Amino acid sequence: MYGQALDVDRRWFKRFGRTDDTARFRLLCFHHAGGSASMYRHWRRLLPERIDLVAVQLPGRSDRFTERPHERMTALVDDLAEVAGPLLDRPFACFGISMGSRVAWTFAHALRDRSMPRPARLYLACDAAPATDDGTWPWQNRADGLEGYVREMGGTPPEVLSQPELLQALLPALHADLTVLDTHGFHPEVPLAVPVHAFAAADDPVATPERVGGWRTETTADFRLHVVPGGHFLSAEAESQVITTIAGDLA
């Protein structure tokens, strides 16, 4: 089966250059709230060829800007599961950062519920575990609004922050993504039987190492917690550690 060209929905899945399908392992990557698949473009050259990187592009951003973004997690993962089948033809893992971690985890549950192939591993970065959710969210009820939250968390390019029209163009997708999170409330009775490797940034004000460590209750398989330097959005050093770890695991 390996080596056959895949017929995938190119709205949802971005491959960034390499189109041959001979890799032994596939890595599905999920972006953060307000982000896009392009954040993984440079990962293609940093990962070994044995790993086929596929970045998920949610509606409402980049080349899907005219599509309405999801505001509910169930609808999001239902739609994703409908189109993901061709990518599940070989061993695969999922990586997500921040909101992307929740999407990757919920997607894994959706695959299990549908008796579809499940990931061999979940890599979850900069996201507090579901068990730590208390119904309050740092972007809610702020005097400076969602724009203030964006500036506080960092990770948004200065050229966007300095141009009001660019920042305003970002906010609708970000608002929808955060609504996906604060309306989710998913607490499954049966944990996944999938190894989880969580990454926490030492100086993350939201997803602290202690809160990220709570992911250990979401799997009956192996759990590892790796604390990396920096804040909520991975620094270059932290990102390098994440990529090196994933590449070693999937060897």
Side-chain angles (χ1 to χ4, degrees):
M1 183 177 294
Y2 296 171
Q4 297 178 355
L6 283 178
D7 182 17
V8 299
D9 190 327
R10 298 190 182 188
R11 297 173 308 146
W12 283 91
F13 305 114
K14 308 302 178 185
R15 308 286 287 271
F16 302 128
R18 195 177 71 206
T19 57
D20 77 277
D21 205 45
T22 60
R24 304 297 297 180
F25 223 102
R26 183 161 288 129
L27 180 64
L28 303 182
C29 295
F30 297 78
H31 58 72
H32 57 73
S36 70
S38 63
M39 68 174 289
Y40 295 108
R41 182 179 298 276
H42 65 291
W43 282 39
R44 172 67 279 145
R45 60 181 171 78
L46 299 175
L47 286 167
E49 290 188 359
R50 67 178 177 273
I51 300 174
D52 177 34
L53 183 143
V54 178
V56 175
Q57 182 90 293
L58 299 184
R61 67 214 73 221
S62 297
D63 60 342
R64 305 189 71 181
F65 184 78
T66 60
E67 300 179 48
R68 183 174 180 177
H70 288 93
E71 293 188 347
R72 295 295 185 272
M73 184 72 83
T74 299
L76 191 164
V77 297
D78 283 349
D79 286 353
L80 184 56
E82 285 293 320
V83 297
L87 292 169
L88 311 183
D89 64 333
R90 70 199 57 211
F92 70 98
C94 296
F95 172 84
I97 181 169
S98 195
M99 172 208 177
S101 293
R102 290 297 175 100
V103 177
W105 170 69
T106 311
F107 176 59
H109 275 278
L111 294 177
R112 185 181 71 177
D113 293 345
R114 290 163 173 76
S115 298
M116 295 174 69
R118 278 153 275 179
R121 285 181 174 81
L122 282 178
Y123 298 100
L124 309 176
C126 304
D127 184 41
T132 69
D133 294 346
D134 60 5
T136 63
W137 303 91
W139 54 82
Q140 295 178 330
N141 304 316
R142 297 176 61 105
D144 54 2
L146 192 54
E147 181 176 337
Y149 173 72
V150 170
R151 294 181 182 277
E152 179 181 286
M153 293 302 293
T156 303
E159 59 270 22
V160 173
L161 295 176
S162 65
Q163 299 187 52
E165 68 278 6
L166 289 180
L167 184 56
Q168 289 304 311
L170 166 71
L171 294 182
L174 176 61
H175 181 270
D177 291 348
L178 297 179
T179 302
V180 165
L181 292 176
D182 64 31
T183 60
H184 191 204
F186 180 49
H187 299 288
E189 294 183 5
V190 181
L192 294 169
V194 175
V196 172
H197 193 142
F199 299 90
D203 300 320
D204 191 329
V206 177
T208 63
E210 180 180 10
R211 298 186 72 201
V212 175
W215 279 105
R216 71 179 66 251
T217 66
E218 301 299 335
T219 179
T220 59
D222 182 53
F223 174 83
R224 287 182 288 165
L225 176 65
H226 187 159
V227 179
V228 297
H232 187 68
F233 292 94
L234 294 176
S235 65
E237 181 182 355
E239 186 178 62
S240 177
Q241 291 184 22
V242 169
I243 292 172
T244 298
T245 299
I246 292 175
D249 278 356
L250 303 187

